[in-house]
Amino acid sequence: MSLNLPSRRVARQAATTALSSNPSLPFLLPCIQRRTAWMLKNKRPDVDPKTKPQNPLTEEFLRRKPKQVQQVKGDLASSSIFEDEEIAGSKPKQIDIAGDGEEKGQLRARDPKTMAAALDPDPDARQRWERKMVIREIVKRGRLSRAQMLKRQERELLSKSHDFKTSVKKLVPLAKQITGKTLEEAIIQMRFSAKKVAVEVKEHLEHAKNEAIVKRGMGLGGKKDFSPVKIQTKDGKRVKVDDPTRLYISQAWCGRGRYTEEPDYRARGQINVMKNRTTSLTVILKEEATRVRLHREREKKEKNKKVWVQLPNRPITAQRQYYSW
């Protein structure tokens, strides 16, 4: 019969037996090497670990490498609305760009040549566009189109919100609800609405109102010679206008945004993928003066419309003196 023993165990027993009989064979015993931090620390006491190794190629590369210019913070323009002498104090001393020496801790004056890289990246294209605009003005003899005249006379603002965590199907009814209403009335409607997303719509309308006042100067009033007038909107509602600068929502629409996926764990180990929809709301704010103009244009068009008659009185043409049968 043969004995099945691991070869590793047999070799270890043989080495132990040989070492006990012959102590001059220590290499046959297994040796475990252990490394400690003390061994690595005192390995070469004559070498300082803080000194960097000297390499002539590295020193030559560092010597020829151009030094990076430290970025200097610019100064505000003299016409900036953020410049407040009482809060900021006296202006720092400006540095002459043409000079060689630069003083630390002081701001650099604005250089038009440096700013032109961002403000005017393609001078040739800008000059061609300016030439095209001059030719257009000469051809039109300074006359403006109707759309350009309305842009100069009336103000409007387009404001787009961030993505709300709701779907288009849920947000469209709110967009239809606020369209055509004054901004204050729309905010009140969203305040008492039972919809969950109405809170975010209300916040966006308040933000759009502030944006229209600051950016466009809308809704500030100041017209005392305006007499109240009753107008009819496009959808047939009667509205009384007391202030021509009052804001109203001309248009409101929704836009689909990105969506995130979330697992929906079901029975029997099944997993469905749910899509969390997001939707944005865009509104266009205008002043009541625009709605008054549209009302008067519709009335004028209706007044100039000809009366319809069943048999109009017009000359008979393309007739022959013979019967056609």
Side-chain angles (χ1 to χ4, degrees):
M1 296 179 64
S2 61
L3 181 63
N4 295 329
L5 290 176
S7 58
R8 192 186 310 171
R9 185 181 301 177
V10 173
R12 186 179 301 176
Q13 292 178 357
T16 308
T17 307
L19 183 62
S20 59
S21 60
N22 190 4
S24 62
L25 301 175
F27 61 89
L28 294 177
L29 289 177
C31 179
I32 300 175
Q33 184 179 7
R34 297 181 180 178
R35 298 180 183 179
T36 60
W38 180 83
M39 295 174 60
L40 297 176
K41 183 177 180 180
N42 300 330
K43 191 173 183 180
R44 295 188 63 183
D46 55 335
V47 179
D48 189 6
K50 296 183 179 180
T51 57
K52 297 181 179 179
Q54 296 181 358
N55 189 346
L57 297 178
T58 306
E59 294 178 357
E60 183 68 17
F61 171 74
L62 295 176
R63 188 176 61 82
R64 294 186 178 184
K65 184 180 179 181
K67 297 182 179 180
Q68 296 181 356
V69 181
Q70 188 177 3
Q71 187 176 6
V72 184
K73 185 179 179 181
D75 187 18
L76 293 174
S78 58
S79 60
S80 176
I81 63 174
F82 300 102
E83 187 71 18
D84 195 344
E85 293 293 341
E86 297 179 359
I87 299 177
S90 58
K91 285 188 176 182
K93 183 179 179 182
Q94 303 292 341
I95 300 175
D96 187 11
I97 300 178
D100 297 332
E102 293 185 0
E103 300 180 10
K104 296 183 179 180
Q106 297 179 355
L107 301 179
R108 182 190 296 270
R110 293 194 170 207
D111 186 8
K113 296 181 180 179
T114 306
M115 298 169 61
L119 300 179
D120 191 12
D122 193 353
D124 296 336
R126 177 183 54 81
Q127 292 178 2
R128 290 194 301 268
W129 180 81
E130 291 177 352
R131 179 175 178 272
K132 180 180 178 181
M133 293 297 106
V134 171
I135 294 174
R136 181 180 295 180
E137 289 294 329
I138 294 176
V139 170
K140 292 186 177 181
R141 301 176 186 176
R143 295 172 295 183
L144 300 178
S145 62
R146 186 173 182 273
Q148 292 174 341
M149 288 293 296
L150 294 178
K151 285 288 185 181
R152 289 192 176 188
Q153 295 173 359
E154 300 173 358
R155 302 167 182 169
E156 67 177 39
L157 174 78
L158 186 144
S159 179
K160 182 180 179 181
S161 69
H162 62 279
D163 290 342
F164 303 145
K165 291 184 178 180
T166 184
S167 62
V168 176
K169 183 178 179 180
K170 298 177 182 178
L171 192 59
V172 163
L174 295 181
K176 292 181 178 180
Q177 183 180 354
I178 63 177
T179 302
K181 291 182 173 60
T182 61
L183 191 57
E184 298 296 336
E185 186 180 356
I187 292 176
I188 294 175
Q189 291 286 335
M190 293 297 102
R191 178 184 175 185
F192 295 100
S193 177
K195 301 292 185 179
K196 181 180 177 181
V197 74
V199 179
E200 300 186 19
V201 174
K202 172 180 169 292
E203 293 178 356
H204 174 61
L205 292 179
E206 293 174 349
H207 169 73
K209 176 183 177 181
N210 298 333
E211 194 175 3
I213 294 174
V214 174
K215 288 188 175 182
R216 301 288 190 270
M218 302 166 62
L220 299 178
K223 294 186 178 181
K224 300 180 180 180
D225 54 345
F226 181 81
S227 57
V229 59
K230 290 185 178 181
I231 63 173
Q232 185 178 6
T233 60
K234 190 176 181 180
D235 53 357
K237 296 181 181 179
R238 293 285 179 176
V239 180
K240 183 179 180 181
V241 179
D242 299 327
D243 184 9
T245 62
R246 186 176 61 182
L247 300 177
Y248 79 98
I249 302 176
S250 175
Q251 300 178 40
W253 65 88
C254 305
R256 286 188 176 88
R258 296 183 178 181
Y259 61 88
T260 58
E261 295 182 351
E262 183 179 352
D264 182 18
Y265 300 98
R266 310 297 295 178
R268 299 185 179 181
Q270 294 183 357
I271 301 177
N272 299 338
V273 178
M274 293 191 305
K275 293 183 178 180
N276 300 324
R277 309 286 181 177
T278 58
T279 312
S280 63
L281 177 67
T282 307
V283 295
I284 294 181
L285 302 183
K286 294 184 180 181
E287 294 181 338
E288 291 286 1
T290 304
R291 194 146 60 169
V292 172
R293 176 185 60 82
L294 294 176
H295 168 70
R296 292 174 178 172
E297 288 180 355
R298 283 194 297 269
E299 283 189 341
K300 186 178 180 180
K301 183 178 179 180
E302 191 68 25
K303 187 183 295 184
N304 296 336
K305 190 176 180 180
K306 295 182 179 180
V307 181
W308 179 84
V309 291
Q310 186 175 4
L311 295 175
N313 226 349
R314 56 173 178 263
I316 300 175
T317 58
Q319 296 291 329
R320 293 182 293 179
Q321 56 181 336
Y322 304 104
Y323 292 108
S324 57
W325 62 77

